[in-house]
Amino acid sequence: MSAPLLAVEDLRLHYRTEAGVLRALDGVSFELNRGEAVVLLGESGCGKTSMARALLRLLPRNVADYSGRVRLGGTDIMALSDEAFRRDIRWSRISIVMQAAMNSLNPVIRVGEQVAEPLMIHAGKPRAEAMDRASRALTRVGVSADFMDRYPFELSGGMRQRVVLAMALITEPELVILDEPTSALDLLTQASIMNVLKRIKRETGTSFVLITHDVGTSSELADHVALMYAGQIVERSPARFFFRSPAHPYGQALMASVPRLHDRTEPRHLEGTPPPLIDPPEGCRFAPRCAQRFAPCDRPPPEARLEDGRRSLCWLHGAAP
Amino acid sequence: MTAPGTAPLVHTAELRTWFTLRKWGFLRAGTVHALDGVSFDLARGEAVAIVGESGCGKSTLARTLLGLDRPTSGEVAIAGTPLGTMDKDAMRRLRATVGYVQQDPYAALPPFMSVATILAEPLRIHGLSHGRDRLTAALEEVGLTPAAEFLEKFPHMLSGGQQQRVVIARALILEPALIIADEPVSMLDASVSAGILRLLRRIQQSRSLTLVFITHNLATVRHFADRIFVMYAGRFVETGPTEALLDAPQHPYTQALLAAIADPDPDNADHDRAVPDSEPPSLINPPPGCRFHPRCPHAMPGLCDRDDPPAFQPRPSQTSWCWLHR
Ligand SMILES: Nc1ncnc2c1ncn2[C@@H]1O[C@H](COP(=O)(O)OP(=O)(O)OP(=O)(O)O)[C@@H](O)[C@H]1O
Ligand SMILES: [Mg+2]
């Protein structure tokens, strides 16, 4: 087996706030193989966008702790200087579609120009070549090349989201991070954009980190699932096991709450709310809402390795061997 | 007049709500046909889901029923009173008949009022008693217990799901006959959404309320509505009882919507979804004929692109506005 494309180990991103240190990302680890997609699945505020920021080093000013190891094809990119990271990693090897990015396109620059920009700035390509590749990138995501000369306001939300996706793909990065890429869109547009992503993954072997709260959509692209809860990854499983029978009690509760089109059992909700990320409880963070809680849950659970390559941060599954 | 209880609570016919777009504040630049000729009756005690993509007119329909948007033409009456003819006083009474639950609970709640003040406000405006017992009962009905604790809180101290429960309690406090819930869970986490929908459905059934549940997601309606109206570009394209419509959708648009929904399933990653790549039509210049024809896999040239389809009845309880069913 070759080494994974991305290996994240004990990654932390804490923020300074007036009320204390907020542990948005609190020691997470996962891996991603070339040509595969991992879904970071979790509900609002669990730290998904913080993960995207940490991976791409797009940090706010109030960082209290930013540490851990992130290897990209063998290089520890956390060890790089900011200058080297900007030059060699961001956009050229890892690109991102930020949450709600379609609303942050520059309103006074034509679409083609904006898509071509990463190529000119980060790869130093001449304008003519960049524009040519922009038009191909747009076609690939389902935007006619006629749109090159339009301004963002002339495009629907779905079209703008495709434009943002073309921007992320144009430098042909090895890894694309997508933060809620379809959440603000209509169902048909969502499905059509997921079709585009599937095709690109199949045809180009690009790897994806797909960040979403939408369980159904997440199953459209996932090879692996990393389930997040309150700043931690509580389960990592191959998609074919996670979506059929999640191991962690939170995964089970989340799956039971999802309405299914052809399922006659009524979705069940989960009582309570996630713990605060400022001074979170020392033990299992899901324990207060967990129906299967027992005595050991007051202490931090170990990550247990289960069959079929699953891992679960839960005392039910015992200590790591 | 029909006897109370049998007359529809909501009646609409050929209802249209259009908006004029202006350039530089005065030049007419076009007309948005947001709601463009819908007709339906809602019985007392029934729950309907209005389903469609953003911009299809479902929120305009809600706002028209609430008296917030003025209809351009057609009929709309609630409890026998036509909305167009109402004076201020009648409008105030209407507000007490219709409860509103909107999409973003945080925006719906005034930030500097305690939950107690928020719930007392409508009672006060309508000159009703707003004692503590009344407020406590309202919170208990929506599952916010111990109520005494929640009464003292301010919106920012509550989770999104708790905020939405307060919004529901406020919508119910004047004992309306009709509740309009516009995307009540689209801002909430999946794990709390099911609880909010269950709550709305339970209250609707126990109080025999009429519930209009607006959503873009057909997957959420099975357990929470008796009938479904599917909208596209300002019009109804299919209506029918929930189970029948979900299990045997007739209109090509309903079929596309259902095909677009991904139930969580690892096999989804292996195949593409059968959905049109094109975009919904402009509501300023809607396409002639059937509005779905430019995206429809079954469109029949010379017919669908020319003539508006009337209502057909492909199955006894389902109505579909599609030439396939002629
Ligand atoms: N710059 C910041 N300073 C302080 N706290 C922050 C900052 N950015 C995010 N947070 C907090 O960190 C936690 C995780 O936020 P994050 O945006 O990573 O979550 P998320 O999972 O992406 O949520 P959503 O689903 O709502 O997008 C939240 O409690 C959030 O309020
Ligand atoms: Mg986020």
Side-chain angles (χ1 to χ4, degrees):
Chain A
M1 277 262 320
S2 59
L5 171 68
L6 180 74
V8 175
E9 221 183 298
D10 205 23
L11 189 60
R12 262 163 236 279
L13 180 56
H14 295 177
Y15 304 116
R16 245 177 299 107
T17 75
E18 279 175 17
V21 171
L22 189 146
R23 300 153 75 138
L25 207 57
D26 211 15
V28 299
S29 308
F30 70 93
E31 291 176 356
L32 171 63
N33 291 325
R34 255 172 228 284
E36 295 195 334
V38 62
V39 164
L40 298 177
L41 181 63
E43 297 184 287
S44 65
C46 71
K48 302 182 296 297
T49 296
S50 299
M51 177 88 88
R53 285 178 177 162
L55 291 176
L56 263 182
R57 217 187 274 192
L58 295 168
L59 306 175
R61 285 171 198 281
N62 60 331
V63 169
D65 182 9
Y66 173 51
S67 60
R69 273 169 305 283
V70 178
R71 293 181 173 281
L72 183 70
T75 333
D76 184 356
I77 60 172
M78 289 290 278
L80 298 177
S81 69
D82 284 350
E83 165 64 25
F85 194 93
R86 202 166 38 233
R87 193 186 53 226
D88 301 331
I89 306 294
R90 199 182 298 142
W91 290 110
S92 33
R93 297 186 65 192
I94 311 180
S95 67
I96 185 167
V97 173
M98 299 283 271
Q99 190 164 6
M102 63 184 203
N103 301 325
S104 53
L105 284 168
N106 190 325
V108 298
I109 300 182
R110 291 176 205 274
V111 162
E113 205 78 42
Q114 294 196 57
V115 174
E117 197 180 272
L119 260 190
M120 295 189 277
I121 293 181
H122 302 282
K125 297 286 180 208
R127 194 188 138 82
E129 183 188 339
M131 292 302 276
D132 185 51
R133 274 172 63 182
S135 119
R136 273 183 286 147
L138 282 170
T139 324
R140 194 146 108 223
V141 298
V143 180
S144 144
D146 301 347
F147 281 65
M148 291 278 287
D149 291 333
R150 305 254 184 114
Y151 291 95
F153 74 87
E154 298 176 274
L155 273 56
S156 69
M159 281 294 161
R160 277 182 282 139
Q161 189 63 20
R162 290 173 201 261
V163 167
V164 171
L165 188 59
M167 267 170 92
L169 291 167
I170 193 163
T171 53
E172 297 178 1
E174 292 150 83
L175 174 63
V176 178
I177 300 173
L178 306 163
D179 191 357
E180 303 277 7
T182 61
S183 301
L185 304 172
D186 282 330
L187 278 177
L188 294 190
T189 312
Q190 256 180 40
S192 162
I193 289 186
M194 291 315 289
N195 281 346
V196 167
L197 292 172
K198 285 180 201 180
R199 211 176 55 231
I200 288 169
K201 176 167 175 268
R202 220 167 34 225
E203 290 171 4
T204 66
T206 309
S207 311
F208 291 95
V209 174
L210 170 63
I211 295 177
T212 183
H213 71 284
D214 181 333
V215 183
T217 303
S218 78
S219 73
E220 294 263 64
L221 200 67
D223 296 298
H224 293 273
V225 177
L227 179 66
M228 293 190 68
Y229 188 80
Q232 299 177 322
I233 290 179
V234 296
E235 174 169 352
R236 300 193 254 167
S237 290
R240 64 182 180 283
F241 298 118
F242 181 83
F243 292 114
R244 298 224 166 95
S245 55
H248 194 279
Y250 172 61
Q252 294 166 3
L254 182 64
M255 292 297 276
S257 74
V258 177
R260 282 152 217 258
L261 195 49
H262 295 294
D263 193 347
R264 269 150 230 281
T265 50
E266 198 176 317
R268 270 177 296 149
H269 76 283
L270 182 55
E271 291 291 346
T273 51
L277 296 177
I278 298 173
D279 291 324
E282 203 191 302
C284 168
R285 295 185 185 178
F286 184 62
R289 303 171 81 185
C290 183
Q292 300 171 68
R293 177 180 65 238
F294 63 133
C297 304
D298 293 341
R299 285 175 294 130
E303 189 182 67
R305 287 166 186 255
L306 312 176
E307 289 178 343
D308 308 320
R310 306 163 174 231
R311 291 158 194 240
S312 164
L313 200 68
C314 177
W315 281 110
L316 283 175
H317 302 123
Chain B
M1 274 280 293
T2 348
T6 57
L9 179 71
V10 177
H11 166 76
T12 75
E14 286 300 307
L15 185 60
R16 292 189 161 72
T17 306
W18 295 351
F19 302 101
T20 307
L21 278 187
R22 290 182 195 280
K23 236 191 208 154
W24 302 307
F26 60 96
L27 281 181
R28 276 183 64 121
T31 301
V32 181
H33 303 78
L35 187 63
D36 205 20
V38 301
S39 308
F40 61 91
D41 283 348
L42 302 182
R44 284 178 193 270
E46 80 166 328
V48 298
I50 299 181
V51 182
E53 298 178 276
S54 67
C56 74
K58 39 190 208 310
S59 290
T60 304
L61 176 54
R63 293 177 53 83
T64 306
L65 292 177
L66 285 159
L68 297 172
D69 284 336
R70 273 189 96 73
T72 309
S73 67
E75 295 168 26
V76 49
I78 292 181
T81 316
L83 288 196
T85 65
M86 287 184 181
D87 56 17
K88 272 221 166 67
D89 234 32
M91 271 317 275
R92 202 175 54 96
R93 278 197 307 275
L94 172 75
R95 292 268 146 77
T97 315
V98 188
Y100 184 31
V101 176
Q102 61 230 71
Q103 180 169 9
D104 181 353
Y106 191 67
L109 297 171
F112 300 113
M113 284 192 191
S114 67
V115 169
T117 319
I118 289 169
L119 293 181
E121 186 91 337
L123 293 167
R124 212 175 39 73
I125 291 174
H126 288 268
L128 300 167
S129 97
H130 48 275
R132 213 145 162 106
D133 290 354
R134 182 80 199 74
L135 307 185
T136 304
L139 283 183
E140 281 170 355
E141 186 170 18
V142 297
L144 290 178
T145 50
E149 229 167 75
F150 281 101
L151 281 176
E152 307 312 322
K153 295 202 167 163
F154 288 81
H156 72 266
M157 302 168 165
L158 305 174
S159 71
Q162 291 169 337
Q163 287 168 2
Q164 197 59 301
R165 285 172 194 263
V166 173
V167 171
I168 293 171
R170 181 179 64 181
L172 289 168
I173 205 148
L174 294 173
E175 306 196 347
L178 171 66
I179 294 275
I180 296 177
D182 192 353
E183 301 275 11
V185 297
S186 69
M187 312 267 292
L188 303 178
D189 282 333
S191 67
V192 297
S193 295
I196 297 290
L197 294 178
R198 180 89 284 269
L199 173 72
L200 276 170
R201 180 65 157 160
R202 203 195 66 226
I203 293 172
Q204 176 260 324
Q205 287 176 329
S206 68
R207 292 198 187 185
S208 289
L209 298 177
T210 305
L211 173 67
V212 174
F213 165 36
I214 294 176
T215 177
H216 66 280
N217 187 357
L218 266 170
T220 55
V221 303
R222 185 181 294 268
H223 304 282
F224 309 109
D226 306 308
R227 277 200 291 163
I228 298 177
F229 300 166
V230 182
M231 284 188 77
Y232 187 76
R235 297 190 172 162
F236 287 175
V237 293
E238 180 167 357
T239 62
T242 299
E243 295 273 315
L245 191 141
L246 290 179
D247 296 341
Q250 299 296 307
H251 195 284
Y253 176 62
T254 316
Q255 292 167 354
L257 266 186
L258 289 169
I261 294 172
D263 275 354
D265 182 337
D267 295 339
N268 288 338
D270 300 335
H271 54 83
D272 286 6
R273 249 161 229 294
V275 292
D277 284 329
S278 48
E279 302 268 305
S282 141
L283 295 178
I284 300 177
N285 292 308
C290 167
R291 291 182 177 183
F292 188 58
H293 88 261
R295 307 171 80 184
C296 181
H298 308 290
M300 296 172 274
L303 179 61
C304 304
D305 52 0
R306 236 188 43 207
D307 299 326
D308 253 348
F312 293 102
Q313 203 100 39
R315 299 175 88 218
S317 57
Q318 271 162 281
T319 306
S320 168
W321 284 256
C322 175
W323 285 115
L324 286 176
H325 303 122
R326 96 195 108 140

